[in-house]
Amino acid sequence: MSIDAKKPAAVKPNRRAAPPGSEGTIMRKAGDWARRGPLLPALVFMIIVTQLPFVVTIIVSFMNWNAYYPDERGFAGIDNFRRVLTDVNTRHAIWVTILLTAGVVLISLVLGLLIALLLDRKFRGRGAVRTMMITPFLVVPVAAALLWKHALYNPTYGLFNGVLKWIFGDNAPQPDWISNQPLWSIIFALVWQWTPFMMLILLAGLQSRPLDVIEAAGIDGANQWEIFRYMTLPHLRQYLELSALLGSIYVVQNFDAVFTITSGGLGTANLPYTIYQTFYTAHDYGRASAAGVIVVIGTIAIATFALRSVSTLFREETGK
Amino acid sequence: MSGQVTIVTGKKNRGGGFVLSGVAWIVGILFVLPVLWMLLTSFHSEENAAKNPPDVTAPLTLDGYRSFFDSGPWPSIANSLTASILSTALVILLAFPAAYALSIRPVKKWTDVLFFFLSTKMLPVVAGLLPIYLFAQSVGFLDNIWLLIILYTSMNLPIAVWMLRSFLSEVPVEILEAASVDGASLTRTLRSVVAPVVTPGIASAALICFIFSWNELLFARVLTGTVAQTAPVFLTGFVTSQGLFLAKVCAASIVVSLPVLIAGFAAQDKLVQGLSLGAVK
């Protein structure tokens, strides 16, 4: 196992370059197109399906367009943006999105690391424990959200309150989990699903450690903590970054859990849910698009930062 | 890990290891417990499923499953299968040549192209949803499974390109040079020289694309109606607890998750490769 962050094919720069020479630029150009050929279908497909709609979103974001009032369609200037940015609900949704993403990614990253460390040892039934651990990730997200909402959190017949009754008898407290802590209810359900994801990547990282070096450090008198702090953790850094980046990409867009567990109520509407509602329920196309544009700008700002860290990894590997 | 016990003898150390193994087992059981609970509840009668405190030893019955299948889930399950399988096939068909052009015979600026693909994963899906909806509405494409197939392909293509590229860059140069000397065409080279070497990579990519398509909710919820509805959309019928039947909900969740559970258990290592975009092998 190795993290191939990204040992590129161009390690030997000219290994398959067109033969240099006097054949002239026409030949080289033909060669360039022959190289591009296999790439084009995928590239064109992606541009049409993912970039074109976004251009339309930008155009609609400057329009006054509500499907309920078709006669009033027209140019709106920056009106939609002003309304979105001054709207209390949108601001709250931005905050919820940040809390939800940071909460889920950080908690599941720490838990995932601890569990990966537990599983990085030989013991009876290690394979079985690993299989049990990944099960939550293999439950369809909507089904997982339904499971938490109805079978676990429900105040009258959910398992959590059932266990409380088992332990404390008939006078046990029977809290309404979702109403009391709506955002944490969603975060816990998502942590349960995403911890296995983090654990799998980090476990693969742990198992790719050079064991001889670690044994040598042990013989030289380094204790377990020192080995973890100065050898394991630096080695795991790129795996931690990779799993945090990928986890964030998915959790920031979460719709399923918010939709299922609280239906965006109780102050848990994140940005994807808010935009979905503005467009699907309120039919305010202009405003939904403006919100979409703002989300994309925010994402680009964060993603540029994230991509830079990934691409640093990339360069480091190329440099070797 | 076994922090405090390392100084003492091997015997004590084994004791610490025993404790840690126990902890690992407990953690594993805690994580799988909700799923086991769902499984058990799905086999209880509605009356027993709603008991508090729960009745673990209640007699088992298939009523929950019967009542789920009576509610007509088959069309949506069939739609999910169609959308997932066809979009996965399309993804591999597009991603394989693209990955070839990004690794074995790289185009200029291939890193930029690679990061373009990844960056589309960071664009919030919801930002492109409205134009897609309006477009589909105007050409009468709403509630059509092919719309989902195309969108799922775009959703998973970047993942597959990244994964396959990382596998392809491990194909030995010599094999390719030999093929080129023998005068093999591009398609022939891809099919008979490169494909066998990267089959495990293709399998991982296909597995992960299938899972993500099967799980998708937002597009399916907005763009389909009664005809092209997928299994996750069918499940959203259970969101409100009004007239809720817990055993039926659990049975439904188990049935819909079953394909992913089976595929994931059968190919645990492929799962890791897929989730890490091929970075972990």
Side-chain angles (χ1 to χ4, degrees):
Chain A
M1 288 194 177
S2 72
I3 200 162
D4 142 83
K6 306 302 150 195
K7 186 178 64 199
V11 199
K12 299 175 202 158
N14 287 323
R15 78 178 198 188
R16 285 159 202 139
S22 50
E23 296 298 313
T25 45
I26 298 168
M27 280 291 283
R28 205 174 308 144
K29 270 197 180 137
D32 281 352
W33 278 106
R35 273 162 192 256
R36 281 177 204 139
L39 177 67
L40 285 180
L43 198 58
V44 171
F45 181 88
M46 281 310 280
I47 289 170
I48 292 175
V49 182
T50 68
Q51 309 297 297
L52 218 53
F54 186 60
V55 175
V56 179
T57 302
I58 295 176
I59 296 168
V60 178
S61 71
F62 289 102
M63 285 172 69
N64 189 0
W65 186 357
N66 187 318
Y68 286 145
Y69 311 100
D71 302 334
E72 294 171 20
R73 206 157 96 182
F75 183 68
I78 58 163
D79 234 32
N80 289 321
F81 289 94
R82 214 172 41 218
R83 274 162 64 212
V84 167
L85 286 174
T86 52
D87 182 22
V88 189
N89 288 331
T90 319
R91 286 205 207 149
H92 186 71
I94 294 175
W95 182 231
V96 169
T97 310
I98 294 171
L99 280 181
L100 192 67
T101 312
V104 173
V105 171
L106 288 179
I107 298 174
S108 47
L109 201 59
V110 172
L111 279 178
L113 176 62
L114 292 176
I115 297 167
L117 286 170
L118 278 176
L119 288 185
D120 186 39
R121 311 163 45 253
K122 283 203 177 72
F123 63 92
R124 195 182 281 263
R126 185 167 95 166
V129 173
R130 197 177 99 133
T131 305
M132 291 194 284
M133 271 306 302
I134 65 169
T135 311
F137 193 74
L138 298 175
V139 176
V140 170
V142 188
L146 285 171
L147 161 72
W148 279 78
K149 179 178 185 169
H150 295 311
L152 301 180
Y153 286 141
N154 188 290
T156 48
Y157 46 77
L159 179 64
F160 289 161
N161 282 355
V163 169
L164 286 179
K165 269 206 177 160
W166 262 337
I167 300 174
F168 299 109
D170 279 344
N171 296 324
Q174 298 281 289
D176 185 344
W177 301 89
I178 297 177
S179 303
N180 293 347
Q181 291 293 337
L183 193 59
W184 280 106
S185 303
I186 297 175
I187 290 179
F188 270 121
L190 286 173
V191 163
W192 177 71
Q193 282 221 288
W194 285 95
T195 300
F197 171 87
M198 306 292 184
M199 185 276 290
L200 278 177
I201 295 182
L202 294 175
L203 183 59
L206 282 175
Q207 288 173 345
S208 71
R209 274 179 311 173
L211 280 181
D212 46 339
V213 182
I214 286 164
E215 266 165 29
I219 291 164
D220 288 350
N223 66 32
Q224 294 284 333
W225 168 249
E226 284 167 341
I227 290 175
F228 175 75
R229 173 69 189 79
Y230 297 106
M231 306 187 74
T232 307
L233 217 49
H235 172 81
L236 274 188
R237 209 191 106 184
Q238 50 183 345
Y239 293 87
L240 285 164
E241 283 174 346
L242 182 75
S243 43
L245 173 72
L246 294 173
S248 309
I249 290 178
Y250 293 114
V251 178
V252 82
Q253 305 212 28
N254 185 276
F255 172 77
D256 310 30
V258 174
F259 177 83
T260 307
I261 295 179
T262 59
S263 301
L266 306 168
T268 58
N270 63 350
L271 279 166
Y273 188 84
T274 307
I275 297 174
Y276 159 82
Q277 224 181 10
T278 315
F279 143 63
Y280 198 70
T281 319
H283 287 276
D284 194 337
Y285 295 166
R287 194 160 150 185
S289 300
V293 171
I294 291 169
V295 174
V296 169
I297 291 171
T299 316
I300 288 173
I302 299 166
T304 315
F305 176 74
L307 276 181
R308 192 172 298 158
S309 74
V310 171
S311 95
T312 320
L313 273 173
F314 195 78
R315 302 253 154 70
E316 273 169 15
E317 288 284 319
T318 318
K320 274 179 196 167
Chain B
M1 287 147 72
S2 52
Q4 292 92 331
V5 277
T6 39
I7 329 134
V8 258
T9 60
K11 217 175 190 178
K12 262 269 172 77
N13 214 341
R14 229 175 290 146
F18 187 73
V19 171
L20 286 173
S21 309
V23 174
W25 267 98
I26 291 169
V27 171
I29 289 167
L30 278 179
F31 266 82
V32 83
L33 200 64
V35 179
L36 294 180
W37 180 247
M38 177 163 72
L39 191 65
L40 182 68
T41 308
S42 74
F43 285 112
H44 279 167
S45 69
E46 294 299 349
E47 196 191 334
N48 286 326
K51 268 192 185 152
N52 185 9
D55 186 359
V56 184
T57 53
L60 304 182
T61 163
L62 284 173
D63 283 355
Y65 288 89
R66 227 168 268 141
S67 122
F68 167 62
F69 284 120
D70 283 347
S71 60
W74 287 115
S76 59
I77 292 174
N79 281 332
S80 272
L81 277 176
T82 314
S84 309
I85 292 173
L86 289 185
S87 76
T88 302
L90 209 55
V91 163
I92 301 299
L93 220 59
L94 287 169
F96 187 42
Y100 177 87
L102 293 172
S103 58
I104 289 175
R105 215 172 271 277
V107 296
K108 283 175 193 156
K109 303 208 175 208
W110 59 273
T111 48
D112 292 349
V113 179
L114 203 56
F115 277 102
F116 163 74
F117 277 114
L118 188 63
S119 72
T120 64
K121 283 299 301 171
M122 297 186 182
L123 272 188
V125 170
V126 75
L129 197 58
L130 173 70
I132 291 167
Y133 174 82
L134 293 175
F135 166 78
Q137 196 182 34
S138 63
V139 300
F141 217 36
L142 277 181
D143 204 7
N144 184 324
I145 198 71
W146 278 100
L147 183 62
L148 285 190
I149 293 171
I150 290 169
L151 291 172
Y152 290 172
T153 304
S154 79
M155 175 176 91
N156 288 326
L157 191 55
I159 302 175
V161 167
W162 268 73
M163 283 189 61
L164 293 182
R165 196 211 68 86
S166 113
F167 276 90
L168 278 175
S169 48
E170 298 196 339
V171 175
V173 194
E174 296 74 28
I175 303 185
L176 294 158
E177 272 163 5
S180 139
V181 167
D182 293 344
S185 70
L186 175 65
T187 8
R188 214 185 123 73
T189 314
L190 284 182
R191 221 182 38 228
S192 48
V193 180
V194 181
V197 186
V198 295
T199 311
I202 292 179
S204 308
L207 174 75
I208 215 75
C209 294
F210 177 85
I211 292 180
F212 282 143
S213 307
W214 183 272
N215 286 349
E216 205 279 335
L217 174 67
L218 184 56
F219 278 136
R221 158 113 192 137
V222 172
L223 301 169
T224 69
T226 46
V227 181
Q229 186 192 58
T230 61
V233 180
F234 188 87
L235 282 185
T236 59
F238 297 115
V239 165
T240 59
S241 34
Q242 223 148 27
L244 179 83
F245 300 111
L246 193 60
K248 185 179 170 187
V249 175
C250 289
S253 301
I254 295 275
V255 171
V256 172
S257 301
L258 212 55
V260 178
L261 282 166
I262 292 171
F265 283 145
Q268 289 191 19
D269 293 325
K270 300 244 174 292
L271 197 66
V272 187
Q273 292 169 358
L275 293 175
S276 63
L277 299 173
V280 175
K281 293 223 177 62

